[in-house]
Amino acid sequence: MNEMAVTGLLIVALFALLGSGVWIGLTLAGVAWIGMELFSSRSAGDAMAVTIWGSASSWTLTALPLFVWMGEILFRTKLSESMFKGLAPWVNVLPGRLLHTNILGSTIFAAVSGSSAATCATIGKMTIPELTERGYPPERVIGSLGGASTLGLLIPPSIVMIVYGVAAEVSIAKLFVAGMIPGLMLAGLFSGYLMVWALLNPDKIPQADAGMSFTDKLRASSELIPVVVLIGGVIGSIYLGVATATEAAAIGVAGSLMLSAYQKTLSWQNFKAALLGATRLYCMIALILAGAAFLTLSMGYIGLPRHLAEWVGSLGLSPGLLLIALALFFILLGCFLDGISMIVLTMGVLIPTVQTAGIDLIWFGIFVVIVVEMAQITPPVGFNLFVLQGMTKREINWIAMVCLPYFLLMVLAVCLLWWFPQIVMWLPGKM
């Protein structure tokens, strides 16, 4: 069978399993098994065992459950209340009011975790209950969280950036610096969208709290000091080279436990509930990651990513059309693969094509990361959608629809980077 027929068959199998109610992780593994058994000479059984074990035992991923546990601990402290007390006086004057805490919180935490799933899980644990209780529309609460949490891939440190830097043989430090302004720009676009929506729908936003003087605002912001100290400790340990991301996550857990003890919320019941909550959430994510890893291996044996990449490279397109084709290509792959797998499987073929077209590899790295961000909220295999589904128990299609405006804003961001490449290249050029 040719590649298009194989792709069509796997898509049909994927939707058939999803429609029958099979768990997402098991669906991905099932589609991978079908692909390997029917279209490759490799035995599916031992490949599945080795791949799932390798995915589950990955040292890089140990940061994820630690950050999830950190979020569970902080969720059971007064941090959520403190965050809103500190931010509310300042964002209440903006159209959309407290919805901006999703954007601000995700932007700050993105500089800690390097993972969109961890950002989504941690910030969501704090903001979803608080905003829902205050009467904000659920579609805006969950949509803004799903979109903003993708910043975990763009704002350094980012695991995806490290993988790209190794694959493309470019400076990871320059990639980190290059991602800072686009990350803040994207956060600004998200907040701008919320402002426009709020101005058009003023009746759907709860009333603002009573006005406060500047001194009172500063006094209320003192509630954020424990958060700033904790985030500063985690970020500082990474940027100073004192700790890896995993070690920094452990520092975050220790700091959150100390903060919980300081606020007198560290009871045995809360500790156990936080540990069990983190275990349940990470098990859901880990099963998806394991299934995606096996699907990645299966597609690698079949050769679909390589053939698609070679086909795109053979079209002889202009730089602009090439980037449009690559964006569509990565969005299509994002329906089946996680971001790291997409980069690992395709960069070896695409990098020579990109260099031939005269596209800077640092700029292209940021472009790839933003397109991979789009895939995080693109069904059927958008990881952030699954994290939100596990937290809210909502239908995956509904979550995808409320995240759609943020997908379109990422498309706008890519266009802005193409029209104004110095948004990416200015800071690295100062190094």
Side-chain angles (χ1 to χ4, degrees):
M1 297 177 68
N2 61 39
E3 287 77 14
M4 292 303 296
V6 172
T7 302
L9 179 61
L10 294 181
I11 291 175
V12 170
L14 179 71
F15 281 102
L17 289 172
L18 287 174
S20 64
V22 178
W23 290 353
I24 301 298
L26 298 181
T27 294
L28 299 180
V31 173
W33 186 87
I34 292 172
M36 290 200 74
E37 282 292 320
L38 296 183
F39 307 112
S40 79
S41 58
R42 173 73 186 273
S43 174
D46 68 313
M48 180 171 64
V50 171
T51 304
I52 291 178
W53 171 255
S55 173
S57 61
S58 170
W59 172 250
T60 305
L61 291 176
T62 54
L64 183 55
L66 287 173
F67 278 124
V68 171
W69 189 19
M70 173 182 167
E72 288 280 351
I73 296 169
L74 296 178
F75 173 63
R76 288 167 174 81
T77 66
K78 298 176 182 178
L79 177 59
S80 177
E81 180 183 351
S82 299
M83 175 180 286
F84 281 92
K85 282 183 179 179
L87 292 176
W90 305 98
V91 300
N92 258 328
V93 300
L94 299 176
R97 301 194 178 96
L98 297 183
L99 287 173
H100 295 281
T101 57
N102 266 342
I103 312 298
L104 294 176
S106 295
T107 302
I108 293 171
F109 196 79
V112 180
S113 68
S115 164
S116 65
T119 301
C120 186
T122 303
I123 300 301
K125 281 291 182 181
M126 292 188 289
T127 60
I128 290 177
E130 190 75 26
L131 292 175
T132 303
E133 183 180 347
R134 290 171 180 255
Y136 285 85
E139 64 273 15
R140 299 302 153 190
V141 174
I142 296 171
S144 60
L145 175 62
S149 61
T150 62
L151 294 172
L153 297 179
L154 184 58
I155 296 179
S158 167
I159 296 173
V160 171
M161 281 188 185
I162 294 172
V163 173
Y164 172 83
V166 172
E169 298 181 353
V170 297
S171 168
I172 294 174
K174 286 190 175 182
L175 278 173
F176 279 1
V177 172
M180 294 176 65
I181 293 179
L184 295 176
M185 179 191 73
L186 203 51
L189 289 175
F190 292 161
S191 283
Y193 166 73
L194 288 177
M195 291 182 194
V196 172
W197 178 85
L199 290 173
L200 295 176
N201 301 274
D203 56 316
K204 296 183 180 180
I205 298 294
Q207 292 297 315
D209 297 335
M212 300 173 64
S213 67
F214 183 76
T215 304
D216 289 336
K217 288 181 180 180
L218 291 178
R219 188 177 296 112
S221 296
S222 65
E223 296 282 349
L224 292 176
I225 291 176
V227 185
V228 173
V229 171
L230 179 59
I231 298 299
V234 175
I235 294 176
S237 64
I238 295 175
Y239 280 96
L240 293 176
V242 177
T244 64
T246 301
E247 292 163 348
I251 293 172
V253 170
S256 62
L257 288 171
M258 289 189 286
L259 178 60
S260 181
Y262 172 75
Q263 295 182 345
K264 296 182 173 58
T265 58
L266 185 58
S267 63
W268 170 246
Q269 182 178 2
N270 277 349
F271 178 84
K272 184 171 67 173
L275 187 58
L276 290 176
T279 301
R280 282 192 294 267
L281 182 56
Y282 179 69
C283 284
M284 177 198 72
I285 298 173
L287 181 60
I288 295 169
L289 290 174
F294 184 37
L295 182 59
T296 298
L297 179 70
S298 174
M299 294 186 70
Y301 270 101
I302 299 170
L304 292 183
R306 178 173 53 82
H307 289 307
L308 285 172
E310 289 174 349
W311 176 72
V312 171
S314 68
L315 296 179
L317 302 173
S318 67
L321 291 177
L322 175 63
L323 289 174
I324 292 174
L326 289 176
L328 296 174
F329 166 59
F330 278 113
I331 291 171
L332 175 64
L333 281 187
C335 294
F336 302 97
L337 305 175
D338 63 282
I340 292 176
S341 300
M342 283 193 283
I343 291 173
V344 170
L345 288 172
T346 60
M347 284 303 112
V349 176
L350 292 180
I351 289 299
T353 303
V354 171
Q355 288 178 309
T356 302
I359 299 172
D360 185 271
L361 292 185
I362 296 290
W363 186 94
F364 184 68
I366 303 305
F367 164 82
V368 168
V369 170
I370 294 179
V371 176
V372 169
E373 283 183 353
M374 297 179 193
Q376 299 298 303
I377 53 175
T378 304
V381 192
F383 283 170
N384 283 18
L385 302 182
F386 298 140
V387 173
L388 288 170
Q389 185 185 41
M391 295 170 64
T392 64
K393 311 304 179 186
R394 295 270 189 168
E395 290 291 332
I396 194 76
N397 291 336
W398 183 87
I399 297 174
M401 286 302 300
V402 299
C403 291
L404 180 61
Y406 302 90
F407 176 91
L408 298 177
L409 288 172
M410 291 180 203
V411 174
L412 174 60
V414 170
C415 294
L416 290 174
L417 296 186
W418 173 247
W419 294 327
F420 308 102
Q422 285 304 308
I423 295 174
V424 174
M425 303 306 300
W426 182 72
L427 273 182
K430 298 294 181 181
M431 293 180 66

